[in-house]
Amino acid sequence: MKFPDTRMRRLRNNDSIRKLLAENRLSTDELVYPVFLIEGKNKKDIISSMPDVERFSIDLLLKEIADVKKLGIKSILLFGVTDKKLKDSDISKSASKDGFVQRGISEIKNKFPDMVVAVDVCLCGYTESGHCGIIKDEYVDNDKSVEALSELALSYALSGADIVAPSAMMDGMVRGIRKALEDNGLKNTLIMSYSAKYASAFYGPFRDMAESAPSFGDRKSYQMPPSNSREAMREIELDIKEGADIVMVKPALMYLDVISKAKERFNMPLAAYNVSGEYSMIKFACKNGLLDERSAVMETLLSIKRAGADIIITYFAKDILRMINE
Ligand code: PBG
């Protein structure tokens, strides 16, 4: 009797065998959970464009962090959200040590010293223009923006952030921040740079959440065009030269090829940001009964892992941990 050369189906015969032979596994250690901090006390907002994600004032955020810690989350990425926007000429106020983000960081680190606290470093949440840098003649001025970003990153690091994560896509931003850290004796603050950050439509829900949509124009003069991946390699290479410790590709799902290319090319810890639009479209589909949430979320995160990400930043972190823990 003739039989197939190889019976691949042996490898898939039951769940235990499939688990034994899994080439990629998700673990709690590699997930980063993004959290949103608002000003005030005892405040909690729901934003309809991001189901199951909330913004909290610091007292309630501390409770949320205690909850996610129980699930096994060991790292968070903090975003400050404020409606008190600043004129560009006042931007250094964002770097005050008494700012709500800076105070938030130190309260979180006081209460949870072993939680890794990464903080997004960008101006778009602070500026009246909603742009990631400082405007001069309707154009985002690179070098002035780098100065402001370096000052902001330093203030977060001085407040106790373990990782500063510059996301403004300004040239020389990592070097500026590294210099500010070194000049102030902060030798162990990590820089996780949003190295290859694309001008993506998939940030839409986040901009509702973070109140950070640009008031005019778009971000195409600083974020990358979706058509390019060699350019992403140059961006990553530059960030490594400038002193980044962790490099990032963002978004994740639309750019799995870029993640995979970066993984092959650079001996660096590689993060992928599974962004708000990627999250919400799947969440809404699950909530409407179009997809099975459990398998859809698992498949989504495994695709990012398989592409080569070492660190996955995802709003699904709580969901996936509940599944892993079950
Ligand atoms: C700030 C920033 C953005 C995101 C992370 N940091 C928005 C943007 O560039 O407009 C997007 C995150 C997400 O969509 O989940 N520059």
Side-chain angles (χ1 to χ4, degrees):
M1 216 227 26
K2 268 203 149 279
F3 53 87
D5 291 342
T6 303
R7 291 194 186 274
M8 291 304 282
R9 294 181 59 191
R10 276 200 293 264
L11 310 179
R12 303 165 198 152
N13 202 29
N14 63 50
D15 198 46
S16 306
I17 295 283
R18 288 191 291 270
K19 281 194 173 124
L20 178 70
L21 301 180
E23 295 175 37
N24 291 285
R25 296 180 175 86
L26 292 166
S27 89
T28 52
D29 297 350
E30 68 209 351
L31 299 174
V32 178
Y33 186 53
V35 295
F36 297 92
L37 172 67
I38 53 178
E39 294 182 79
K41 242 188 117 176
N42 198 25
K43 279 198 192 142
K44 174 164 120 168
D45 297 338
I46 293 170
I47 302 295
S48 60
S49 43
M50 291 187 76
D52 302 340
V53 179
E54 288 161 308
R55 318 191 295 200
F56 300 98
S57 57
I58 186 64
D59 49 335
L60 299 187
L61 184 61
L62 291 171
K63 289 198 182 121
E64 167 77 357
I65 294 173
D67 287 347
V68 300
K69 199 166 177 281
K70 273 189 214 128
L71 282 174
I73 287 172
K74 301 186 178 76
S75 310
I76 56 170
L77 173 60
L78 181 72
F79 292 92
V81 183
T82 175
D83 51 14
K84 298 191 190 83
K85 304 297 180 190
L86 296 168
K87 292 203 183 324
D88 283 359
S89 53
D90 287 335
I91 198 66
S92 61
K93 287 189 183 154
S94 65
S96 154
K97 68 177 190 339
D98 303 319
F100 79 106
V101 181
Q102 287 81 356
R103 279 186 285 117
I105 296 166
S106 65
E107 285 197 43
I108 295 168
K109 285 303 292 185
N110 276 339
K111 190 135 191 223
F112 307 102
D114 54 0
M115 176 65 73
V116 176
V117 177
V119 186
D120 185 88
V121 178
C122 198
L123 303 185
C124 61
Y126 288 107
T127 51
E128 278 180 350
S129 69
H131 275 288
C132 303
I134 289 170
I135 308 289
K136 215 172 135 188
D137 305 327
E138 305 258 303
Y139 185 75
V140 174
D141 183 274
N142 191 82
D143 303 3
K144 277 206 162 55
S145 304
V146 169
E147 272 173 42
L149 288 161
S150 304
E151 212 185 328
L152 185 60
L154 175 63
S155 74
Y156 292 162
L158 289 170
S159 307
D162 300 284
I163 303 179
V164 288
S167 67
M169 286 298 281
M170 296 298 131
D171 293 319
M173 151 184 104
V174 172
R175 168 164 295 141
I177 292 172
R178 179 60 77 203
K179 182 171 185 314
L181 295 174
E182 285 289 336
D183 287 350
N184 287 275
L186 292 164
K187 300 193 181 77
N188 285 327
T189 307
L190 293 145
I191 300 178
M192 172 166 72
S193 182
Y194 288 67
S195 308
K197 177 175 178 182
Y198 285 84
S200 172
F202 290 84
Y203 308 150
F206 173 95
R207 290 181 192 167
D208 294 340
M209 178 66 92
E211 298 175 21
S212 64
S215 61
F216 66 89
D218 53 39
R219 304 211 198 288
K220 290 180 185 165
S221 79
Y222 40 104
Q223 298 181 348
M224 280 197 47
S227 53
N228 294 0
S229 68
R230 280 182 291 148
E231 190 179 328
M233 298 304 112
R234 291 186 70 196
E235 285 282 7
I236 294 172
E237 205 174 307
L238 281 167
D239 280 357
I240 297 170
K241 277 198 196 130
E242 291 181 22
D245 301 290
I246 304 167
V247 293
M248 193 199 297
V249 173
K250 175 188 174 184
L253 297 180
M254 302 298 155
Y255 300 90
L256 292 173
D257 59 318
V258 180
I259 297 173
S260 149
K261 218 171 177 173
K263 176 63 166 221
E264 272 177 28
R265 196 160 310 195
F266 303 107
N267 295 320
M268 289 289 287
L270 177 63
Y273 198 139
N274 178 209
V275 301
S276 58
E278 298 176 328
Y279 167 82
S280 290
M281 67 180 176
I282 292 171
K283 263 281 165 175
F284 279 117
C286 295
K287 289 203 180 289
N288 286 296
L290 300 174
L291 300 175
D292 172 60
E293 179 151 5
R294 210 191 151 80
S295 37
V297 172
M298 195 60 94
E299 190 174 338
T300 299
L301 297 191
L302 274 175
S303 77
I304 301 170
K305 185 84 197 263
R306 198 182 60 241
D310 302 299
I311 296 169
I312 304 175
I313 303 166
T314 181
Y315 306 98
F316 286 123
K318 281 202 298 195
D319 296 313
I320 199 82
L321 287 181
R322 282 196 202 102
M323 293 173 199
I324 294 176
N325 293 341
E326 256 171 42

